Amino acid sequence: MRLLFFLLICQCAINSINAYSASSPSVILLMADDLGIGDLGCYGNRTLRTRNIDRLAEEGVTLTQHIAASPLCTPSRAAFLTGRYPIRSGMAAFSRVGVFLFSASSGGLPSEEITFSKLLKERGYATALIGKWHLGMNCERSNDFCHHPLSHGFDYFYGLTVTNLRDCKPGQGSVFLKGVQKSSVIPLQITGITLVSLALVHYIGLLRVPFRALGYCFLIATISLVVLIFFFYHFRHLNCFLMRDHQIIQQPLSYENLTQRLTKEAVQFVERNTDAQFLLVLSYLHVHTALYASKNFRGKSKHGLYGDAVEEMDWSVGQILDVLDKYNLSDKTLVYFTSDQGAHVEEISSSGEVHGGYNGIYKGGKSTNWEGGIRVPGLLRWPGVIQAGAYLDEPTSNMDIFPTIVKLAEAQLPSDRIIDGHDLMPLLQGKVAQSNHEFLFHYCNAYLNAVRWHPGNSESVWKVFFFTPNFSPEDSNGCYDSHVCFCHGRFITWHDPPLLFDLSRDPEEKVPLTPKTERRFYEILRIIHLAIENHTRSLHAVPNQLSWDNLLWKPWLQLCCSSLFQSCYCDHDSERNLLEVNLG
C-alpha cells in the first residue's frame, strides 16, 4: 500500500513537471532582417549553407505561408511585438517614409501598447532583446527613453535602437544622398533665386526691402544648409551606435566581429538563466545593408558578401541551439525563426554586386505586398510538443507569436483591445487543420493595399489588390529607380475592378483572374469588401508615430557618449572585450 502511494505521488510529480514545461517554456525568437524565403535550404535553396536553420525545420514545423504584417521593418516589428496590425498603434505612415531613420526622432512604439515581453516579464520571465530594435527611443528629452526596449518589457538590451544602413559603414554608399540631392536642389534654387532677386530689386530701387529682413532670410537659409551638411556629414556618428541598456557603449558602430558579439551576448543571457524561464529576442542585423561578415565567413559562400552574411547568421543560430543542448534546455524551449519581411531585391552595390536576397518563386520584395515582400520563413521547434519535420501550408502571421507565447506563459491576453494574431499551438500540434486567419489585411504603410481570403470550405487562397506599385524599369521585379517602392501618387496604379489571384493555383501572382476565367469573381469581391468594412469599423484614430514631425531629426533628442566637439566617439565595448580577454 505504501509502495502504491509512493508511486502515485511520483506520477503526480512527473505529470506536474511535464504540464509545467509544456505550458510555460522558455522562448527564443530569432528574427533576420530582409532575408528572402528562398535563401534557406529548408525552403529550397541548394547553394547557401544554412544547416543550423534547416535543423529547426527538421526538428520542428515549417510554415510555408507565413506572412509578415507589413513589408517594412518598423511596422512589421511593431505588429510582431503587439500582435496587432501596425495601423492600430499608429506605426503605419501616411507619408512616403515608412520607417524610422534617425536615432533622434520622437516617434516610436507607444507606451500604451502591450508587448509580449511586458506580459512575460509580469509572469516572472527574464527578458532580453539583443540586436536591432527600430521602434524609437525618446519622446521629449534625450533621456526619457519612452520608446526604448527597456520601457517595453525587456530587462536587458544590447544592440541598435535604429537600424543598420549603408551610411553606417564607410565605403558602402548612402541611402540618403540621391534622395537628398533630388529633394533639396529645387528648394535651394528657389531660395537662392529669391534672395538674389530681392537684393537686386532693392539695389535698383524698384522695391524697398528692409536690409534686416534680407539678412534674416539669408541667415536662416545659411543655418539650415549648415545643419543639413553637418547632420549628413556626421550621420554615422549620430545614428549608428551600440547600446547596452540605456548607455551608449560604441559610437559609431564597429562591424568588426559584430555578429560574434551579438551571439555572445545572447549565449551569456541563456547561461545566466538556465534555472529560470526566459524570453530571448535575437534580432539580427543580417542581411540588411550595409552587408558585413567576419573574417571566418568572408569570401566563403557562393553568393558573395550577401551569402557570407547568411551563412554567418546560420552559424549564430547554431550557437544558440548548442547552448540549449549544453544545458539540457532544448525540450523546455520554444524556438522560432523568421524574417521581418522579404528580401530587398533592389539592393545592388556601387560595384554592381547583388546585395539583396532571393524570394524564391514569389514576385516582388521588401516594401511591396506581392508575396515576395511578405511571405517569410516561419520555423518553430519544441521537441516533444511540436511534431518534427511537419509542414503547414495554412495562412499564418508574425502577429500570431504574441498570443501563442502569451498563452504558453499562462499570462492573460489583453481584453481592452483587439489582438489580430491567433494562437498557433492548436495548428502546430495538429488539433485543428485550418488557420483561424480567414482574412489577412495587407497594408502599404497606412493604405490598405490587398486582402487575402482563405474560405473555410475551400483550399483556395484568394488575394485581391486594389493598387500595385509601378516597377521601374517596367519589366523588372522591383522599384530600382527609387530603391524601394512607394504607396501612393505616381508610384502606384489603381485597379478597378481589383486584381484577383488564387494563390493556391498561382502563388507567383502571374495571371490575374477575370470574370471570364473565374465565375465567382464578383462574389469573391463582395465578400472581401464586407470583410474590409468590418475591419475598418474596428479601427480607431491614434497618434501617427510616423508623421513628418515624429520622423525628423531633433537635435535636443540626440544621444552622444562624449560630446559633439569630440564627434560623439567612444568604444567601451571593445575596451570591455579586451579586458575580458586579458582577465581570461
Side-chain angles (χ1 to χ4, degrees), residues 14-27 125 277 331-334 382-386 404-405 407-410 425 429 431:
I14 291 169
N15 290 341
S16 175
I17 291 170
N18 288 341
Y20 181 75
S21 63
S23 60
S24 300
S26 291
V27 179
Y125 278 65
Q277 292 160 312
D331 293 348
K332 304 172 186 176
T333 307
L334 173 67
W382 187 5
V385 179
I386 294 176
T404 301
I405 65 175
K407 286 187 177 181
L408 286 173
E410 298 181 334
M425 288 307 295
Q429 294 182 298
K431 295 178 180 178

Side-chain angles (χ1 to χ4, degrees), residues 234 237-238 251-252 560-570:
H234 292 281
H237 289 76
L238 297 176
Q251 189 173 14
C560 187
C561 64
S562 54
S563 71
L564 287 175
F565 299 105
Q566 295 173 300
S567 298
C568 290
Y569 176 83
C570 64

Side-chain angles (χ1 to χ4, degrees), residues 212-231:
R212 182 176 293 180
L214 273 176
Y216 281 141
C217 288
F218 180 77
L219 182 64
I220 291 170
T222 302
I223 291 174
S224 299
L225 185 60
V226 168
V227 169
L228 190 67
I229 293 171
F230 171 84
F231 176 76

Side-chain angles (χ1 to χ4, degrees), residues 513-532:
L513 299 171
T514 67
K516 291 182 179 179
T517 58
E518 174 52 56
R519 61 181 180 81
R520 297 184 59 211
F521 185 90
Y522 290 109
E523 175 66 10
I524 293 166
L525 293 185
R526 184 186 69 81
I527 292 171
I528 287 176
H529 277 294
L530 286 174
I532 293 170

Side-chain angles (χ1 to χ4, degrees), residues 153-362:
F154 291 102
D155 299 319
Y156 182 71
F157 171 62
Y158 176 91
L160 280 68
T161 56
V162 194
T163 187
N164 175 31
L165 292 169
R166 285 189 177 276
D167 302 70
C168 294
K169 190 178 181 187
Q172 294 299 306
S174 172
V175 297
F176 298 106
L177 192 58
K178 186 185 291 186
V180 168
Q181 287 174 338
K182 283 185 177 180
S183 59
S184 61
V185 167
I186 294 177
L188 286 174
Q189 287 177 340
I190 292 173
T191 303
I193 291 171
T194 301
L195 287 173
V196 170
S197 299
L198 287 173
L200 186 61
V201 297
H202 176 82
Y203 178 75
I204 63 179
L206 291 177
L207 180 67
R208 303 300 299 174
V209 181
F211 181 77
R212 182 176 293 180
L214 273 176
Y216 281 141
C217 288
F218 180 77
L219 182 64
I220 291 170
T222 302
I223 291 174
S224 299
L225 185 60
V226 168
V227 169
L228 190 67
I229 293 171
F230 171 84
F231 176 76
F232 283 105
Y233 183 77
H234 292 281
F235 181 92
R236 177 168 168 253
H237 289 76
L238 297 176
N239 294 283
C240 312
F241 51 77
L242 189 66
M243 296 187 80
R244 177 176 281 111
D245 294 334
H246 290 143
Q247 181 185 5
I248 295 177
I249 56 174
Q250 191 174 65
Q251 189 173 14
L253 171 73
S254 168
Y255 286 88
E256 185 177 359
N257 296 324
L258 180 55
T259 300
Q260 281 79 357
R261 285 182 278 153
L262 295 172
T263 305
K264 179 182 176 182
E265 288 283 340
V267 167
Q268 289 178 341
F269 173 77
V270 173
E271 291 176 332
R272 289 196 300 269
N273 292 283
T274 54
D275 296 324
Q277 292 160 312
F278 61 83
L279 164 70
L280 168 64
V281 179
L282 178 50
S283 177
Y284 290 103
L285 275 63
H286 287 319
V287 281
H288 196 294
T289 53
L291 293 179
Y292 67 96
S294 63
K295 183 172 63 176
N296 290 340
F297 295 92
R298 200 176 304 130
K300 300 296 177 63
S301 78
K302 296 180 180 180
H303 290 282
L305 187 54
Y306 182 89
D308 300 343
V310 172
E311 293 185 359
E312 183 172 44
M313 178 173 60
D314 179 75
W315 165 84
S316 174
V317 171
Q319 296 299 297
I320 302 302
L321 299 183
D322 287 348
V323 76
L324 293 179
D325 290 340
K326 177 180 178 180
Y327 292 100
N328 298 315
L329 296 174
S330 296
D331 293 348
K332 304 172 186 176
T333 307
L334 173 67
V335 180
Y336 167 73
F337 180 90
T338 192
S339 177
D340 54 358
Q341 65 265 325
H344 193 172
V345 297
E346 295 94 345
E347 276 289 4
I348 299 175
S349 73
S350 56
S351 63
E353 181 181 354
V354 174
H355 278 191
Y358 177 53
N359 292 316
I361 65 171
Y362 304 110

Side-chain angles (χ1 to χ4, degrees), residues 2-17:
R2 288 181 179 177
L3 179 61
L4 180 61
F5 182 69
F6 176 75
L7 290 173
L8 284 172
I9 290 175
C10 289
Q11 187 61 47
C12 288
I14 291 169
N15 290 341
S16 175
I17 291 170

